[in-house]
mmCIF file of all heavy atoms in Angstrom:
data_model
loop_
_atom_site.group_PDB
_atom_site.id
_atom_site.type_symbol
_atom_site.label_atom_id
_atom_site.label_comp_id
_atom_site.label_asym_id
_atom_site.label_seq_id
_atom_site.Cartn_x
_atom_site.Cartn_y
_atom_site.Cartn_z
ATOM 1 N N SER A 376 13.251 33.838 -66.722
ATOM 2 C CA SER A 376 13.660 34.498 -67.958
ATOM 3 C C SER A 376 13.127 35.919 -68.030
ATOM 4 O O SER A 376 13.841 36.845 -68.418
ATOM 5 C CB SER A 376 13.174 33.685 -69.157
ATOM 6 O OG SER A 376 13.376 34.394 -70.363
ATOM 7 N N ILE A 379 15.065 38.528 -65.742
ATOM 8 C CA ILE A 379 16.467 38.889 -65.975
ATOM 9 C C ILE A 379 16.589 39.569 -67.334
ATOM 10 O O ILE A 379 15.651 39.616 -68.121
ATOM 11 C CB ILE A 379 17.390 37.655 -65.906
ATOM 12 C CG1 ILE A 379 17.094 36.686 -67.061
ATOM 13 C CG2 ILE A 379 17.259 36.964 -64.566
ATOM 14 C CD1 ILE A 379 18.093 35.549 -67.171
ATOM 15 N N ARG A 380 17.784 40.101 -67.609
ATOM 16 C CA ARG A 380 17.998 40.839 -68.852
ATOM 17 C C ARG A 380 18.163 39.884 -70.031
ATOM 18 O O ARG A 380 18.576 38.741 -69.872
ATOM 19 C CB ARG A 380 19.234 41.734 -68.694
ATOM 20 C CG ARG A 380 19.000 42.870 -67.706
ATOM 21 C CD ARG A 380 20.282 43.597 -67.344
ATOM 22 N NE ARG A 380 21.164 42.783 -66.515
ATOM 23 C CZ ARG A 380 22.287 43.248 -65.943
ATOM 24 N NH1 ARG A 380 22.648 44.505 -66.133
ATOM 25 N NH2 ARG A 380 23.027 42.449 -65.201
ATOM 26 N N LYS A 381 17.836 40.396 -71.205
ATOM 27 C CA LYS A 381 17.792 39.526 -72.388
ATOM 28 C C LYS A 381 19.170 39.036 -72.810
ATOM 29 O O LYS A 381 19.279 38.008 -73.484
ATOM 30 C CB LYS A 381 17.120 40.243 -73.550
ATOM 31 C CG LYS A 381 17.845 41.468 -74.073
ATOM 32 C CD LYS A 381 17.066 42.105 -75.226
ATOM 33 C CE LYS A 381 17.776 43.311 -75.805
ATOM 34 N NZ LYS A 381 17.018 43.904 -76.926
ATOM 35 N N LYS A 382 20.235 39.707 -72.389
ATOM 36 C CA LYS A 382 21.568 39.352 -72.871
ATOM 37 C C LYS A 382 22.081 38.019 -72.309
ATOM 38 O O LYS A 382 23.072 37.478 -72.805
ATOM 39 C CB LYS A 382 22.574 40.455 -72.544
ATOM 40 C CG LYS A 382 22.790 40.701 -71.048
ATOM 41 C CD LYS A 382 23.764 41.853 -70.817
ATOM 42 C CE LYS A 382 24.015 42.099 -69.341
ATOM 43 N NZ LYS A 382 24.980 43.212 -69.126
ATOM 44 N N SER A 383 21.406 37.490 -71.275
ATOM 45 C CA SER A 383 21.806 36.192 -70.712
ATOM 46 C C SER A 383 20.663 35.191 -70.726
ATOM 47 O O SER A 383 20.650 34.243 -69.940
ATOM 48 C CB SER A 383 22.327 36.376 -69.282
ATOM 49 O OG SER A 383 23.529 37.112 -69.257
ATOM 50 N N ASN A 384 19.705 35.357 -71.631
ATOM 51 C CA ASN A 384 18.538 34.497 -71.629
ATOM 52 C C ASN A 384 18.804 33.095 -72.167
ATOM 53 O O ASN A 384 18.217 32.132 -71.678
ATOM 54 C CB ASN A 384 17.398 35.161 -72.394
ATOM 55 C CG ASN A 384 16.262 35.560 -71.489
ATOM 56 O OD1 ASN A 384 15.165 35.024 -71.596
ATOM 57 N ND2 ASN A 384 16.525 36.490 -70.574
ATOM 58 N N VAL A 385 19.651 32.959 -73.172
ATOM 59 C CA VAL A 385 19.999 31.619 -73.637
ATOM 60 C C VAL A 385 20.653 30.841 -72.505
ATOM 61 O O VAL A 385 20.359 29.659 -72.272
ATOM 62 C CB VAL A 385 20.937 31.675 -74.853
ATOM 63 C CG1 VAL A 385 21.456 30.277 -75.202
ATOM 64 C CG2 VAL A 385 20.216 32.270 -76.050
ATOM 65 N N ASN A 386 21.519 31.510 -71.778
ATOM 66 C CA ASN A 386 22.189 30.890 -70.644
ATOM 67 C C ASN A 386 21.181 30.420 -69.603
ATOM 68 O O ASN A 386 21.264 29.303 -69.086
ATOM 69 C CB ASN A 386 23.181 31.875 -70.027
ATOM 70 C CG ASN A 386 23.946 31.291 -68.866
ATOM 71 O OD1 ASN A 386 23.597 31.493 -67.719
ATOM 72 N ND2 ASN A 386 25.012 30.561 -69.175
ATOM 73 N N TYR A 387 20.198 31.279 -69.317
ATOM 74 C CA TYR A 387 19.213 30.917 -68.300
ATOM 75 C C TYR A 387 18.332 29.756 -68.756
ATOM 76 O O TYR A 387 18.052 28.828 -67.988
ATOM 77 C CB TYR A 387 18.339 32.122 -67.937
ATOM 78 C CG TYR A 387 17.365 31.805 -66.843
ATOM 79 C CD1 TYR A 387 17.770 31.811 -65.515
ATOM 80 C CD2 TYR A 387 16.049 31.442 -67.132
ATOM 81 C CE1 TYR A 387 16.897 31.480 -64.503
ATOM 82 C CE2 TYR A 387 15.164 31.110 -66.125
ATOM 83 C CZ TYR A 387 15.593 31.136 -64.813
ATOM 84 O OH TYR A 387 14.722 30.787 -63.812
ATOM 85 N N ALA A 466 21.467 33.940 -61.555
ATOM 86 C CA ALA A 466 21.421 34.250 -62.986
ATOM 87 C C ALA A 466 22.338 35.398 -63.366
ATOM 88 O O ALA A 466 22.650 36.268 -62.564
ATOM 89 C CB ALA A 466 19.980 34.603 -63.381
ATOM 90 N N GLU A 467 22.788 35.368 -64.599
ATOM 91 C CA GLU A 467 23.546 36.423 -65.279
ATOM 92 C C GLU A 467 25.016 36.488 -64.909
ATOM 93 O O GLU A 467 25.738 37.318 -65.453
ATOM 94 C CB GLU A 467 22.911 37.806 -65.063
ATOM 95 C CG GLU A 467 21.476 37.908 -65.558
ATOM 96 C CD GLU A 467 20.976 39.336 -65.614
ATOM 97 O OE1 GLU A 467 21.524 40.116 -66.417
ATOM 98 O OE2 GLU A 467 20.056 39.679 -64.853
ATOM 99 N N ARG A 468 25.495 35.590 -64.007
ATOM 100 C CA ARG A 468 26.938 35.660 -63.713
ATOM 101 C C ARG A 468 27.578 34.326 -63.367
ATOM 102 O O ARG A 468 28.787 34.209 -63.359
ATOM 103 C CB ARG A 468 27.233 36.686 -62.609
ATOM 104 C CG ARG A 468 26.851 36.291 -61.181
ATOM 105 C CD ARG A 468 25.465 36.681 -60.836
ATOM 106 N NE ARG A 468 25.240 36.753 -59.390
ATOM 107 C CZ ARG A 468 24.054 36.673 -58.832
ATOM 108 N NH1 ARG A 468 22.974 36.485 -59.574
ATOM 109 N NH2 ARG A 468 23.916 36.766 -57.527
ATOM 110 N N ARG A 537 25.751 40.766 -59.206
ATOM 111 C CA ARG A 537 25.976 41.220 -60.572
ATOM 112 C C ARG A 537 26.654 42.592 -60.575
ATOM 113 O O ARG A 537 26.449 43.389 -59.646
ATOM 114 C CB ARG A 537 24.651 41.299 -61.323
ATOM 115 C CG ARG A 537 24.005 39.979 -61.639
ATOM 116 C CD ARG A 537 22.586 40.148 -62.130
ATOM 117 N NE ARG A 537 21.705 40.605 -61.048
ATOM 118 C CZ ARG A 537 20.418 40.907 -61.199
ATOM 119 N NH1 ARG A 537 19.866 40.839 -62.405
ATOM 120 N NH2 ARG A 537 19.693 41.297 -60.169
ATOM 121 N N ILE A 538 27.416 42.845 -61.580
ATOM 122 C CA ILE A 538 28.072 44.148 -61.719
ATOM 123 C C ILE A 538 27.006 45.236 -61.793
ATOM 124 O O ILE A 538 26.080 45.164 -62.600
ATOM 125 C CB ILE A 538 28.958 44.184 -62.974
ATOM 126 C CG1 ILE A 538 30.096 43.161 -62.842
ATOM 127 C CG2 ILE A 538 29.524 45.586 -63.205
ATOM 128 C CD1 ILE A 538 30.879 42.950 -64.132
ATOM 129 N N GLY A 539 27.106 46.216 -60.916
ATOM 130 C CA GLY A 539 26.156 47.315 -60.902
ATOM 131 C C GLY A 539 24.976 47.138 -59.967
ATOM 132 O O GLY A 539 24.139 48.031 -59.837
ATOM 133 N N ILE A 550 17.698 46.218 -60.971
ATOM 134 C CA ILE A 550 18.035 45.767 -62.325
ATOM 135 C C ILE A 550 16.787 45.113 -62.902
ATOM 136 O O ILE A 550 16.399 44.021 -62.482
ATOM 137 C CB ILE A 550 19.226 44.797 -62.317
ATOM 138 C CG1 ILE A 550 20.462 45.479 -61.722
ATOM 139 C CG2 ILE A 550 19.522 44.307 -63.735
ATOM 140 C CD1 ILE A 550 21.678 44.573 -61.623
ATOM 141 N N LYS A 551 16.168 45.773 -63.853
ATOM 142 C CA LYS A 551 14.880 45.309 -64.364
ATOM 143 C C LYS A 551 15.039 44.153 -65.344
ATOM 144 O O LYS A 551 16.018 44.061 -66.069
ATOM 145 C CB LYS A 551 14.140 46.470 -65.040
ATOM 146 C CG LYS A 551 13.757 47.590 -64.077
ATOM 147 C CD LYS A 551 12.992 48.693 -64.799
ATOM 148 C CE LYS A 551 12.589 49.805 -63.823
ATOM 149 N NZ LYS A 551 11.840 50.884 -64.505
ATOM 150 N N GLY A 552 14.019 43.292 -65.331
ATOM 151 C CA GLY A 552 13.974 42.200 -66.293
ATOM 152 C C GLY A 552 13.567 42.697 -67.667
ATOM 153 O O GLY A 552 13.318 43.881 -67.870
ATOM 154 N N HIS A 553 13.463 41.766 -68.609
ATOM 155 C CA HIS A 553 13.257 42.190 -69.989
ATOM 156 C C HIS A 553 11.883 41.827 -70.545
ATOM 157 O O HIS A 553 11.522 42.273 -71.630
ATOM 158 C CB HIS A 553 14.334 41.564 -70.888
ATOM 159 C CG HIS A 553 14.006 40.182 -71.358
ATOM 160 N ND1 HIS A 553 14.026 39.078 -70.532
ATOM 161 C CD2 HIS A 553 13.632 39.715 -72.584
ATOM 162 C CE1 HIS A 553 13.693 38.008 -71.224
ATOM 163 N NE2 HIS A 553 13.449 38.355 -72.467
ATOM 164 N N LYS A 744 34.435 39.204 -66.072
ATOM 165 C CA LYS A 744 33.773 40.506 -66.105
ATOM 166 C C LYS A 744 33.347 40.868 -67.524
ATOM 167 O O LYS A 744 32.237 41.380 -67.745
ATOM 168 C CB LYS A 744 34.707 41.581 -65.549
ATOM 169 C CG LYS A 744 34.107 42.985 -65.531
ATOM 170 C CD LYS A 744 35.077 43.990 -64.929
ATOM 171 C CE LYS A 744 34.466 45.392 -64.932
ATOM 172 N NZ LYS A 744 35.405 46.392 -64.327
ATOM 173 N N LYS A 745 34.220 40.586 -68.483
ATOM 174 C CA LYS A 745 33.910 40.894 -69.874
ATOM 175 C C LYS A 745 32.690 40.114 -70.348
ATOM 176 O O LYS A 745 31.792 40.656 -71.008
ATOM 177 C CB LYS A 745 35.118 40.566 -70.752
ATOM 178 C CG LYS A 745 34.907 40.848 -72.240
ATOM 179 C CD LYS A 745 36.155 40.498 -73.044
ATOM 180 C CE LYS A 745 35.931 40.745 -74.523
ATOM 181 N NZ LYS A 745 37.149 40.393 -75.323
ATOM 182 N N GLU A 746 32.632 38.828 -69.998
ATOM 183 C CA GLU A 746 31.499 37.992 -70.402
ATOM 184 C C GLU A 746 30.211 38.458 -69.738
ATOM 185 O O GLU A 746 29.151 38.495 -70.369
ATOM 186 C CB GLU A 746 31.787 36.532 -70.046
ATOM 187 C CG GLU A 746 32.871 35.895 -70.893
ATOM 188 C CD GLU A 746 33.257 34.516 -70.409
ATOM 189 O OE1 GLU A 746 32.984 34.196 -69.223
ATOM 190 O OE2 GLU A 746 33.844 33.762 -71.209
ATOM 191 N N GLU A 747 30.292 38.810 -68.469
ATOM 192 C CA GLU A 747 29.088 39.246 -67.761
ATOM 193 C C GLU A 747 28.540 40.545 -68.343
ATOM 194 O O GLU A 747 27.324 40.692 -68.519
ATOM 195 C CB GLU A 747 29.399 39.426 -66.273
ATOM 196 C CG GLU A 747 28.188 39.836 -65.467
ATOM 197 C CD GLU A 747 28.480 40.047 -63.993
ATOM 198 O OE1 GLU A 747 29.545 39.605 -63.522
ATOM 199 O OE2 GLU A 747 27.643 40.664 -63.305
ATOM 200 N N LEU A 748 29.407 41.477 -68.631
ATOM 201 C CA LEU A 748 28.955 42.751 -69.179
ATOM 202 C C LEU A 748 28.325 42.582 -70.563
ATOM 203 O O LEU A 748 27.338 43.245 -70.895
ATOM 204 C CB LEU A 748 30.123 43.738 -69.247
ATOM 205 C CG LEU A 748 30.623 44.262 -67.899
ATOM 206 C CD1 LEU A 748 31.888 45.108 -68.087
ATOM 207 C CD2 LEU A 748 29.543 45.086 -67.193
ATOM 208 N N ALA A 749 28.901 41.688 -71.361
ATOM 209 C CA ALA A 749 28.360 41.456 -72.695
ATOM 210 C C ALA A 749 27.134 40.547 -72.666
ATOM 211 O O ALA A 749 26.330 40.549 -73.599
ATOM 212 C CB ALA A 749 29.436 40.838 -73.589
ATOM 213 N N GLY A 750 26.979 39.806 -71.588
ATOM 214 C CA GLY A 750 25.939 38.785 -71.512
ATOM 215 C C GLY A 750 26.551 37.416 -71.739
ATOM 216 O O GLY A 750 27.515 37.272 -72.495
ATOM 217 N N LEU A 751 26.007 36.396 -71.073
ATOM 218 C CA LEU A 751 26.608 35.065 -71.124
ATOM 219 C C LEU A 751 26.216 34.262 -72.356
ATOM 220 O O LEU A 751 26.780 33.199 -72.604
ATOM 221 C CB LEU A 751 26.209 34.275 -69.870
ATOM 222 C CG LEU A 751 26.616 34.884 -68.525
ATOM 223 C CD1 LEU A 751 26.218 33.945 -67.389
ATOM 224 C CD2 LEU A 751 28.101 35.188 -68.473
ATOM 225 N N ASP A 752 25.286 34.764 -73.139
ATOM 226 C CA ASP A 752 24.759 33.955 -74.237
ATOM 227 C C ASP A 752 25.810 33.611 -75.288
ATOM 228 O O ASP A 752 26.022 32.445 -75.618
ATOM 229 C CB ASP A 752 23.583 34.669 -74.896
ATOM 230 C CG ASP A 752 22.345 34.672 -74.019
ATOM 231 O OD1 ASP A 752 22.397 34.082 -72.920
ATOM 232 O OD2 ASP A 752 21.328 35.265 -74.422
ATOM 233 N N VAL A 753 26.464 34.612 -75.829
ATOM 234 C CA VAL A 753 27.447 34.360 -76.889
ATOM 235 C C VAL A 753 28.706 33.688 -76.347
ATOM 236 O O VAL A 753 29.178 32.692 -76.918
ATOM 237 C CB VAL A 753 27.780 35.661 -77.645
ATOM 238 C CG1 VAL A 753 28.912 35.419 -78.633
ATOM 239 C CG2 VAL A 753 26.540 36.190 -78.364
ATOM 240 N N PRO A 754 29.305 34.169 -75.227
ATOM 241 C CA PRO A 754 30.529 33.518 -74.733
ATOM 242 C C PRO A 754 30.345 32.053 -74.364
ATOM 243 O O PRO A 754 31.230 31.231 -74.611
ATOM 244 C CB PRO A 754 30.891 34.355 -73.500
ATOM 245 C CG PRO A 754 30.261 35.676 -73.722
ATOM 246 C CD PRO A 754 28.989 35.393 -74.456
ATOM 247 N N GLU A 755 29.199 31.689 -73.774
ATOM 248 C CA GLU A 755 29.022 30.318 -73.296
ATOM 249 C C GLU A 755 28.207 29.430 -74.237
ATOM 250 O O GLU A 755 28.242 28.211 -74.108
ATOM 251 C CB GLU A 755 28.366 30.312 -71.908
ATOM 252 C CG GLU A 755 29.264 30.882 -70.810
ATOM 253 C CD GLU A 755 28.928 30.345 -69.437
ATOM 254 O OE1 GLU A 755 27.739 30.065 -69.169
ATOM 255 O OE2 GLU A 755 29.860 30.196 -68.624
ATOM 256 N N HIS A 756 27.484 30.057 -75.174
ATOM 257 C CA HIS A 756 26.597 29.255 -76.019
ATOM 258 C C HIS A 756 26.748 29.543 -77.507
ATOM 259 O O HIS A 756 26.281 28.760 -78.335
ATOM 260 C CB HIS A 756 25.137 29.466 -75.599
ATOM 261 C CG HIS A 756 24.904 29.225 -74.138
ATOM 262 N ND1 HIS A 756 24.742 27.972 -73.611
ATOM 263 C CD2 HIS A 756 24.851 30.092 -73.090
ATOM 264 C CE1 HIS A 756 24.569 28.070 -72.295
ATOM 265 N NE2 HIS A 756 24.642 29.330 -71.964
ATOM 266 N N ILE A 758 25.210 31.696 -79.266
ATOM 267 C CA ILE A 758 23.972 32.176 -79.885
ATOM 268 C C ILE A 758 23.312 33.197 -78.975
ATOM 269 O O ILE A 758 23.638 33.305 -77.791
ATOM 270 C CB ILE A 758 22.973 31.021 -80.166
ATOM 271 C CG1 ILE A 758 22.763 30.184 -78.903
ATOM 272 C CG2 ILE A 758 23.450 30.155 -81.310
ATOM 273 C CD1 ILE A 758 21.740 29.079 -79.068
ATOM 274 N N GLU A 759 22.382 33.957 -79.534
ATOM 275 C CA GLU A 759 21.647 34.954 -78.772
ATOM 276 C C GLU A 759 20.166 34.569 -78.714
ATOM 277 O O GLU A 759 19.635 33.949 -79.634
ATOM 278 C CB GLU A 759 21.770 36.330 -79.437
ATOM 279 C CG GLU A 759 23.179 36.861 -79.524
ATOM 280 C CD GLU A 759 23.237 38.147 -80.332
ATOM 281 O OE1 GLU A 759 23.222 38.052 -81.581
ATOM 282 O OE2 GLU A 759 23.262 39.219 -79.717
ATOM 283 N N ALA A 760 19.515 34.973 -77.624
ATOM 284 C CA ALA A 760 18.077 34.721 -77.511
ATOM 285 C C ALA A 760 17.296 35.584 -78.496
ATOM 286 O O ALA A 760 16.274 35.159 -79.029
ATOM 287 C CB ALA A 760 17.617 35.001 -76.082
ATOM 288 N N TYR A 761 17.777 36.800 -78.720
ATOM 289 C CA TYR A 761 17.090 37.742 -79.598
ATOM 290 C C TYR A 761 18.081 38.321 -80.604
ATOM 291 O O TYR A 761 18.514 39.461 -80.485
ATOM 292 C CB TYR A 761 16.451 38.867 -78.773
ATOM 293 C CG TYR A 761 15.525 38.364 -77.698
ATOM 294 C CD1 TYR A 761 15.960 38.236 -76.386
ATOM 295 C CD2 TYR A 761 14.213 38.000 -77.995
ATOM 296 C CE1 TYR A 761 15.110 37.769 -75.389
ATOM 297 C CE2 TYR A 761 13.355 37.538 -77.007
ATOM 298 C CZ TYR A 761 13.819 37.428 -75.705
ATOM 299 O OH TYR A 761 12.963 36.951 -74.729
#
Side-chain angles (χ1 to χ4, degrees):
S376 171
I379 66 172
R380 291 169 289 188
K381 64 181 182 179
K382 63 182 181 179
S383 294
N384 248 246
V385 172
N386 182 263
Y387 183 81
E467 301 193 65
R468 74 271 200 202
R537 290 169 291 176
I538 296 170
I550 300 178
K551 295 182 179 180
H553 85 288
K744 180 178 179 179
K745 180 180 179 180
E746 290 173 340
E747 182 181 345
L748 289 174
L751 301 183
D752 288 358
V753 174
E755 292 206 327
H756 307 279
I758 51 177
E759 298 173 280
Y761 305 98

